[in-house]
Amino acid sequence: MKKETSLIIRKYRSTYLGELGTTTSHQHGALVLLIGLSGRIRLHFQGGPSIDCYSALIDAGVAHSLDPQGERIATIYSEVSSPETLLLRSLYLQSQPYAFDVIKPSIFLHRSEQKILNFDLISMLGLNRLDSLPSLDSRVVRCIELLNTPAYFSAGQIAIAEQVQLSASRLNHLFKQGTGVSYRRYRLWSQLAFFMRNVKCTNNLTESALNSGFFDASHLSNSYRKLFGISPAGLLKGLDHFEVDLN
């Protein structure tokens, strides 16, 4: 019996569960945890190694391509400002922007796939350090809030910088330093995140592309490939279950 392909979008985390083809090189605007649920997956990093592993934790903004090698996978995106991301970056990604086999698929053997979609990563890794959590600069936090507000999708960087009382160059520096990803790439990520939430309502790529600040469906598709390595139409068409819950 074929298992479902699922995508669950929540406020600070999105999870894809299913089979996926080989991606082109891309750079996410969020920290991502990739897990080969049925076997090893292969990752290639631009200018770096090719690695076979059961799981990989990859920082935002890191160019890589994925070959699932026919395995069923879980792909978990954690937003750059979330407590989960700040903790994982401080513990695993200080010396290099990726870490391998931080979690083994055997952990999931006795869990239903519904539980995989909702699992508590921090507890599963045995981490209890939220009390000493690193923090983001409050101006970066405010910038992220603005970039995730549709009314600001068309605002220029200088206007956003003025809103948080910084110069554009200083904002670039603080944003990259605090989140691991450039201001420009995160801005695109925030628009694509809005698109994914919006298309659940419209079921129309072109309409949601325009709603998300893209010129047309082609502009959306090109941007999507840069950040995900696949086309949005291909991903959405293959979904059996698609859920958005921002509460």
Side-chain angles (χ1 to χ4, degrees):
M1 181 178 176
K2 181 182 179 293
K3 293 185 176 180
E4 279 194 344
T5 297
S6 300
L7 176 62
I8 307 296
I9 296 176
R10 296 202 166 88
K11 186 174 182 180
Y12 291 115
R13 181 198 284 184
S14 297
T15 304
Y16 171 87
L17 192 63
E19 295 180 359
L20 194 66
T22 300
T23 71
T24 58
S25 182
H26 57 284
Q27 297 175 304
H28 296 302
L31 180 145
V32 62
L33 174 64
L34 299 167
I35 304 169
L37 296 174
S38 55
R40 289 179 181 270
I41 58 176
R42 178 170 296 164
L43 289 155
H44 177 71
F45 294 88
Q46 186 174 307
S50 292
I51 300 290
D52 285 1
C53 57
Y54 287 109
S55 65
L57 186 67
I58 306 173
D59 209 353
V62 177
H64 65 283
S65 58
L66 165 68
D67 178 2
Q69 303 189 117
E71 306 297 345
R72 189 167 172 82
I73 66 169
T75 304
I76 302 159
Y77 305 101
S78 185
E79 290 298 316
V80 293
S81 60
S82 73
E84 179 177 272
T85 291
L86 295 175
L87 182 58
L88 292 174
R89 287 189 76 220
S90 70
L91 293 178
Y92 292 105
L93 304 177
Q94 286 298 300
S95 60
Q96 58 183 7
Y98 37 71
F100 304 106
D101 291 335
V102 296
I103 192 166
K104 299 292 193 296
S106 58
I107 291 176
F108 297 114
L109 287 179
H110 303 295
R111 292 171 177 260
S112 69
E113 293 208 336
Q114 187 60 39
K115 288 184 178 178
I116 294 174
L117 291 168
N118 297 286
F119 78 99
D120 183 346
L121 177 60
I122 297 298
S123 297
M124 190 172 291
L125 292 172
L127 304 176
N128 296 293
R129 294 177 51 179
L130 291 178
D131 57 335
S132 57
L133 191 66
S135 60
L136 283 178
D137 187 294
S138 60
R139 294 163 295 184
V140 173
V141 173
R142 177 57 180 156
C143 177
I144 289 172
E145 292 174 350
L146 293 174
L147 291 177
N148 282 286
T149 304
Y152 284 89
F153 284 168
S154 60
Q157 185 176 353
I158 292 176
I160 295 288
E162 288 176 349
Q163 286 288 319
V164 296
Q165 299 181 319
L166 290 170
S167 67
S169 60
R170 183 60 177 162
L171 176 59
N172 278 335
H173 175 76
L174 290 177
F175 202 98
K176 175 71 172 179
Q177 182 183 59
T179 67
V181 66
S182 69
Y183 168 91
R184 183 177 179 181
R185 186 158 299 275
Y186 183 81
R187 180 183 187 126
L188 183 58
W189 176 266
S190 69
Q191 286 181 255
L192 290 172
F194 181 85
F195 162 79
M196 290 301 294
R197 298 191 297 269
N198 190 254
V199 78
K200 178 67 169 66
C201 301
T202 68
N203 200 33
N204 184 297
L205 262 68
T206 299
E207 181 180 348
S208 286
L210 296 174
N211 291 343
S212 306
F214 296 99
F215 301 130
D216 51 31
S218 178
H219 182 206
L220 163 76
S221 185
N222 290 336
S223 299
Y224 202 93
R225 286 183 179 276
K226 289 179 182 178
L227 269 71
F228 291 96
I230 55 177
S231 73
L235 175 72
L236 292 166
K237 184 172 64 176
L239 292 177
D240 300 305
H241 178 68
F242 185 14
E243 178 184 335
V244 176
D245 181 3
L246 302 181
N247 294 323

